[in-house]
Amino acid sequence: MSKEGNNLSMFASHLAPWLTRRGINYGWLMVGITFLTSVCSSAAISLAGILVLPLIEEFHWGRADIAAIMGLMLLLFAGMAPFAGALMLRYGLRRTVLTAVAMTLVGVGLTARMATLWQFAVGFGVLLGLAAGVLTMALPATIANRWFTHRRGLAMGILTAAFAAGQLTFMPMNAWLATHYGWRMALVPVAIGCALCLVLYVMFGAEWPANLGLAPYGDRQVQRPALGLAGNAIGLSVGVLRQAAATRVFWVLAATFAICGVSTTGVISQHFIPFCADNGVAAGAPAGVLAQIGVLNLAGDQTTGGGSARGAKGVRGGG
């Protein structure tokens, strides 16, 4: 048993055989708790658009100052993702995820009690940005690759959709709470969700299928994890980025995702609600529009993921 196996919870070791006897692969449970974790992390960073006007009103900060901290959050969000996968190899998936969820809780708590701009920068900008880079970017790909051979595209589509589902689930409610009870109350549902995710990953999170004596979904043979690459997380990440950067496909994907990041995540998600307020529209209506975008994003991710799964099945000859 690897050192990751020693980190296995008693609940997971008892639940896995019970699910197997009923024809359910434990990987689907990992998809479920990871989806919820990514949803709550996405909901945390989507608070940005709701907070702009209340923070200006209460603290008299400039909109440019608040936007700069949101930009810092997005920069760390994107910059952390290339290193998160290697950190999971080096320190273990459960330990990395639990640390990131705890950082989200601390960031939300510090934001709720802040009195100065630098506290907002540390809590919302740094802690939430770094945590989201792990939980909404690298974690879905790690779970899909570790736990699935067959249906990997479907699993990845479900987990990728969690980013949009965070807006769909929390944003209208958070906007309503901020409008009627103050912006601090809008942080409460996110904090409760993250606390629940922390408990679920402690109880049921598992590193690899092999730690439970299982094969990845679609395989029959238990595959022992190759942990020899986990020595230097930063060196591994930089090496993989260097290899990827030498290919044309990498730059095509990077350019398309950069456009999406700048437009949808960087501009619309952060500034759409304040822009509507400047034009006399209450926060609930634009929050509902952003939730509709999340619904369509969720549907699109499922369509793409299902197609990837069918394509992979065809390549394997229906296996």
Side-chain angles (χ1 to χ4, degrees), residues 80-122:
M80 183 63 186
F83 301 95
L87 289 174
M88 293 176 192
L89 281 175
R90 175 66 179 84
Y91 298 106
L93 184 145
R94 289 179 72 238
R95 188 180 301 173
T96 305
V97 170
L98 292 175
T99 300
V101 175
M103 287 172 62
T104 303
L105 282 169
V106 173
V108 170
L110 182 58
T111 300
R113 298 180 62 86
M114 67 185 179
T116 62
L117 196 61
W118 73 265
Q119 291 173 335
F120 182 48
V122 172

Side-chain angles (χ1 to χ4, degrees), residues 244-257:
T247 65
R248 181 179 178 181
V249 173
F250 172 83
W251 291 107
V252 172
L253 289 173
T256 54
F257 277 102

Side-chain angles (χ1 to χ4, degrees), residues 23-231:
I24 303 173
N25 188 280
Y26 199 84
W28 292 114
L29 178 64
M30 291 298 297
V31 167
I33 61 176
T34 299
F35 181 88
L36 182 60
T37 303
S38 297
V39 163
C40 292
S41 178
S42 169
I45 63 174
S46 69
L47 286 167
I50 297 172
L51 295 180
V52 173
L53 296 179
L55 294 183
I56 293 174
E57 181 178 353
E58 179 170 336
F59 297 106
H60 306 289
W61 295 335
R63 184 173 297 194
D65 295 328
I66 298 173
I69 292 173
M70 294 176 179
L72 171 65
M73 179 266 291
L74 293 174
L75 180 64
L76 294 176
F77 169 43
M80 183 63 186
F83 301 95
L87 289 174
M88 293 176 192
L89 281 175
R90 175 66 179 84
Y91 298 106
L93 184 145
R94 289 179 72 238
R95 188 180 301 173
T96 305
V97 170
L98 292 175
T99 300
V101 175
M103 287 172 62
T104 303
L105 282 169
V106 173
V108 170
L110 182 58
T111 300
R113 298 180 62 86
M114 67 185 179
T116 62
L117 196 61
W118 73 265
Q119 291 173 335
F120 182 48
V122 172
F124 197 91
V126 176
L127 293 178
L128 263 61
L130 291 175
V134 175
L135 299 175
T136 64
M137 300 287 283
L139 181 59
T142 300
I143 295 297
N145 286 321
R146 287 190 182 188
W147 286 88
F148 292 86
T149 299
H150 183 52
R151 301 286 185 182
R152 182 179 293 170
L154 176 61
M156 189 63 189
I158 293 171
L159 294 174
T160 303
F163 187 83
Q167 292 181 337
L168 164 66
T169 307
F170 283 88
M171 184 166 284
M173 175 178 58
N174 289 339
W176 183 85
L177 287 172
T179 301
H180 292 86
Y181 297 100
W183 64 268
R184 288 178 177 83
M185 283 300 298
L187 305 177
V188 174
V190 175
I192 293 174
C194 289
L196 175 61
C197 294
L198 195 70
V199 172
L200 289 175
Y201 246 97
V202 167
M203 294 177 62
F204 302 112
E207 298 287 337
W208 301 85
N211 297 143
L212 295 170
L214 301 174
Y217 184 86
D219 275 346
R220 297 181 179 178
Q221 185 176 0
V222 176
Q223 301 175 6
R224 293 294 169 184
L227 299 176
L229 297 176

